[in-house]
């Protein structure tokens, strides 16, 4: 079918953009309302899910199902249904390319994503080439990890696609900017800003940081293209990050420094290829300025066969010979490169101006099992600053045990079971550690906990302090203690 034209999108008058958004919301197009259909067959590739999902939608003729078919799932509806959803807007939407005739019905040639309260138009990624990515599961992961808990002056989304991250961040910053090398992405992002009446966001075309030369931001986020590109593969802008797959990420890290404000933070979601026994930190740390702190949250390894099949399925409308060729070509490519593992990693750069910049890597549960949030990252950064500081800083710190932690005696070991929100499920500890943790509570400093523990064991605090501070460091590093 090819990608639909975008030349007329920005000619749609602002008042009609607002009227379209109102019509879609009035039809019931909200994230929760469409979830039963959107999540149908969620563990299958899109091409396998579509027939039965559409079957469910066609069984109910309501404004919601008609609008969902037309705008979210590219399933044409009859003219009467289109008029029911869009009313007097229909002729103008046809004129500007937002509705087209296809297979005997009317349908939107773009895909509509529902993200919180946002309406985000993007492309069908199976078209490849310069198709524009909207909001996927990993986009939600990135936003949860990056969304600031306090208002910021500015935020930058590098490789913004249809603008999802920049549009969401705009609610918590004075000024948001999205950049993308694909001019088509900029048009769709600008249209989405108009559709959602968001006025403090700007989108610019160009290569990585070139469109924001000389500018600095409090928050920088990116989900760069990170899939490896076999030598014979057709290059896809939103997908391929280089021959290994991480070249785009490495460029972003190398060009980051002039654009991250003092005290600022960058959060990058990156698919890391491990070659040999080189740990991710060995490749990523040299790419980052020495003066900045680096925190890596490293998820569990992926199944390489499933990975290659998944991305091949997304590029083809049928699971036929071309799909098979691409899946095998990608798997052979990883084998030739010596890639033994692929892991999602949150790369967090902290420009806090530390006297002794630090690096920390934490192995976590799968990001499919646990949500990494900005609140967790705030606490982890605070913990790392303490861990890389002196003992006096540890003693002054106010810490608390992780809420919801329980202890289980398994006979051969004592296990601290952490709550579902924790990045690691459990930690083996000693009975002395349990006794130490019991002295902590909200509002108590480590020095006060030392005194309380000394009273429990009838010892002098000065005598126990040299032993307890290392134990506190160990508990803090293991995630048993945290900064409130």
């Amino acid at each position: 079918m090819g990608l639909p034209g975008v030349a007329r999108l920005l000619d749609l008058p602002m008042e009609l953009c607002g009227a379209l958004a109102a019509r879609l919301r009035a039809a019931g197009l909200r994230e929760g309302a469409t979830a039963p259909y959107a999540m149908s067959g969620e563990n299958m590739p899109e091409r396998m899910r579509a027939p039965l999902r559409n079957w469910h939608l066609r069984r109910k003729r309501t404004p919601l199902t008609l609008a969902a078919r037309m705008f979210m799932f590219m399933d044409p509806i009859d003219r009467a249904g289109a008029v029911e959803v869009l009313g007097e807007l229909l002729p103008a939407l046809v004129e500007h390319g937002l509705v087209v005739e296809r297979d005997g019905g009317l349908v939107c040639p773009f895909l509509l994503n529902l993200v919180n309260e946002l309406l985000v138009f993007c492309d069908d990624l199976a078209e490849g080439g310069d198709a524009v990515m909207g909001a996927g599961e990993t986009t939600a992961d990135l936003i949860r990890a990056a969304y600031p808990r306090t208002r910021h002056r500015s935020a930058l989304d590098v490789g913004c696609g249809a603008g999802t991250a920049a549009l969401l961040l705009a609610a918590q910053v004075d000024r948001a900017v999205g950049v993308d090398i694909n001019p088509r992405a900029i048009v769709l992002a600008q249209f989405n800003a108009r559709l959602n009446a968001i006025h403090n966001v700007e989108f610019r075309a160009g290569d990585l940081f070139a469109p924001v030369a000389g500018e600095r931001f409090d928050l920088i986020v990116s989900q760069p293209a990170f899939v490896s590109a076999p030598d014979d593969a057709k290059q896809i802008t939103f997908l391929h990050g280089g021959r290994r797959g991480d070249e785009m990420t490495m460029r972003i890290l190398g060009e980051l420094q002039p654009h991250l404000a003092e005290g600022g933070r960058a959060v990058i979601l990156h698919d890391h290829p491990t070659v040999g026994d080189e740990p991710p930190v060995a490749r990523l740390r040299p790419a980052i300025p020495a003066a900045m702190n680096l925190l890596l949250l490293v998820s569990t390894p992926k199944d390489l066969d499933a990975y290659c099949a998944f991305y091949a399925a997304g590029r083809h409308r049928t699971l036929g010979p071309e799909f098979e060729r691409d899946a095998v070509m990608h798997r052979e490519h990883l084998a030739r490169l010596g890639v033994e593992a692929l892991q999602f990693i949150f790369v967090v750069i902290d420009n806090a101006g530390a006297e002794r910049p630090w690096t920390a890597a934490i192995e976590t549960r799968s990001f499919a099992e646990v949500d990494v949030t900005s609140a967790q990252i705030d606490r982890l950064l605070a913990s790392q600053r303490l861990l890389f500081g002196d003992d006096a800083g540890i003693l002054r710190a106010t810490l608390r045990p992780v809420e919801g932690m329980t202890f289980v005696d398994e006979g051969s070991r004592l296990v601290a079971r952490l709550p579902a929100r924790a990045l690691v499920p459990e930690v083996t500890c000693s009975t002395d550690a349990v006794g130490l943790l019991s002295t902590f509570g909200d509002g108590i400093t480590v020095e006060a906990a030392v005194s309380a523990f000394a009273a429990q064991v009838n010892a002098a605090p000065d005598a126990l302090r040299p032993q307890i501070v290392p134990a506190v460091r160990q508990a803090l590093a293991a995630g048993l203690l945290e900064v409130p």
Side-chain angles (χ1 to χ4, degrees):
M1 289 183 289
L3 291 171
V6 297
R8 293 171 292 169
L9 287 181
L10 298 182
D11 293 332
L12 188 69
M14 284 293 295
E15 61 271 18
L16 293 188
C17 289
L20 172 60
R23 280 277 186 174
L24 295 176
R25 291 182 174 122
L29 284 189
R30 299 181 185 278
E31 200 167 32
T34 59
Y37 304 107
M39 302 301 288
S40 176
E42 61 180 312
N43 295 321
M44 296 186 294
E46 170 62 21
R47 308 310 163 195
M48 295 174 66
R49 297 167 59 187
L52 290 177
R53 181 192 58 220
N54 291 348
W55 176 79
H56 285 290
L57 284 164
R58 291 168 187 169
R59 294 180 72 202
K60 296 182 179 180
R61 189 179 176 90
T62 67
L64 173 63
T65 58
L66 289 169
R69 287 174 56 193
M70 188 176 192
F71 287 94
M72 295 181 65
F73 303 119
M74 290 189 169
D75 185 26
I77 64 175
D78 57 45
R79 180 168 290 275
V83 171
E84 182 177 349
V85 173
L86 299 170
E88 74 285 354
L89 297 179
L90 182 57
L93 298 182
V94 171
E95 179 186 351
H96 289 84
L98 270 169
V99 174
V100 298
E101 292 188 9
R102 183 180 295 168
D103 299 332
L106 294 171
V107 70
C108 178
F110 303 94
L111 285 173
L112 176 65
N113 295 163
L114 306 178
V115 191
N116 292 344
E117 295 300 314
L118 292 183
L119 304 168
V120 178
F121 281 102
C122 61
D123 284 324
D124 179 355
L125 299 183
E127 296 294 344
D130 288 334
V132 177
M133 179 178 286
E137 291 182 10
T138 52
T139 309
D141 292 337
L142 176 64
I143 293 300
R144 276 192 295 267
Y147 197 82
R149 294 197 291 166
T150 59
R151 191 163 185 85
H152 283 25
R153 291 167 300 178
S154 58
L156 173 67
D157 178 13
V158 180
C160 65
T164 309
L167 292 168
L168 287 169
L169 291 171
Q172 191 68 336
V173 300
D174 297 334
R175 179 176 71 100
V177 178
V179 297
D180 201 291
I181 197 170
N182 184 357
R184 179 183 179 85
I186 300 304
V187 174
L188 277 170
Q190 290 171 337
F191 178 75
N192 288 327
R194 298 176 67 180
L195 184 70
N196 292 280
I198 297 175
H199 305 294
N200 64 328
V201 64
E202 181 182 355
F203 295 100
R204 308 175 192 170
D207 186 20
L208 296 187
F209 295 98
V212 291
E215 297 181 53
R216 295 166 73 86
F217 298 86
D218 298 313
L219 175 65
I220 297 175
V221 304
S222 184
Q223 182 188 346
F226 50 53
V227 176
S228 57
D231 296 333
D232 297 333
K234 182 179 180 181
Q235 295 299 301
I236 300 175
T237 305
F238 70 85
L239 186 68
H240 291 131
R243 192 166 184 268
R244 275 176 53 112
D246 64 350
E247 288 89 343
M248 190 67 68
T249 299
M250 299 300 287
R251 279 193 60 200
I252 290 172
L253 296 178
E255 298 177 21
L256 180 73
Q257 185 175 26
H259 305 285
L260 187 59
E262 184 176 351
R265 180 183 305 178
V267 181
I268 299 166
L269 183 54
H270 158 72
D271 215 356
H272 189 83
T274 296
V275 177
D277 57 359
E278 178 186 72
V281 69
R283 180 164 172 84
L284 295 172
R285 175 72 254 193
I288 295 168
M292 294 183 178
N293 302 316
L294 172 64
L295 171 67
L296 301 181
L297 302 179
V298 184
S299 184
T300 53
K302 299 179 179 183
D303 181 317
L304 294 182
D305 292 342
Y307 174 86
C308 293
F310 174 83
Y311 279 108
R315 294 195 292 271
H316 299 284
R317 299 190 181 281
T318 61
L319 303 182
E322 291 186 352
F323 156 75
E324 295 176 11
R325 179 185 61 81
D326 275 7
V328 171
M329 179 173 64
H330 195 180
R331 189 65 184 89
E332 287 180 343
H333 175 69
L334 293 177
R336 283 196 300 270
L337 291 178
V339 173
E340 298 177 0
L342 281 164
Q343 293 167 279
F344 263 141
I345 296 181
F346 277 109
V347 183
V348 182
I349 298 100
D350 174 45
N351 193 21
E355 290 185 13
R356 292 186 299 168
W358 50 262
T359 301
I362 299 173
E363 294 187 358
T364 76
R365 291 188 286 172
S366 167
F367 294 156
E369 299 174 3
V370 62
D371 292 335
V372 178
T373 67
S374 58
Q376 286 176 313
I377 290 177
D378 286 345
R379 288 192 291 267
L380 288 170
L381 291 175
S383 296
Q384 295 303 322
R385 291 170 192 139
L386 288 173
L387 288 169
F388 285 92
D390 57 21
D391 287 354
I394 291 282
L395 289 166
R396 289 192 301 269
T398 299
L399 302 176
R400 68 182 181 192
V402 173
E403 185 178 358
M405 179 171 57
T406 59
F407 297 96
V408 179
D409 188 349
E410 296 186 345
S412 60
R413 64 177 188 151
L414 186 61
V415 175
R417 294 271 170 82
L418 298 174
R421 69 173 176 84
L423 298 180
V424 294
E426 63 181 34
V427 177
T428 301
C429 56
S430 65
T431 54
D432 286 342
V434 175
L436 175 62
L437 290 170
S438 69
T439 64
F440 283 88
D442 286 343
I444 187 171
T445 65
V446 174
E447 183 64 71
V450 170
S451 298
F453 187 65
Q456 285 182 10
V457 298
N458 196 27
D462 289 346
L464 292 181
R465 197 175 290 110
Q467 304 169 41
I468 290 180
V469 169
V472 169
R473 287 184 178 276
Q474 186 175 15
L476 193 59
L480 302 180
L481 287 172
E482 63 184 12
V483 179

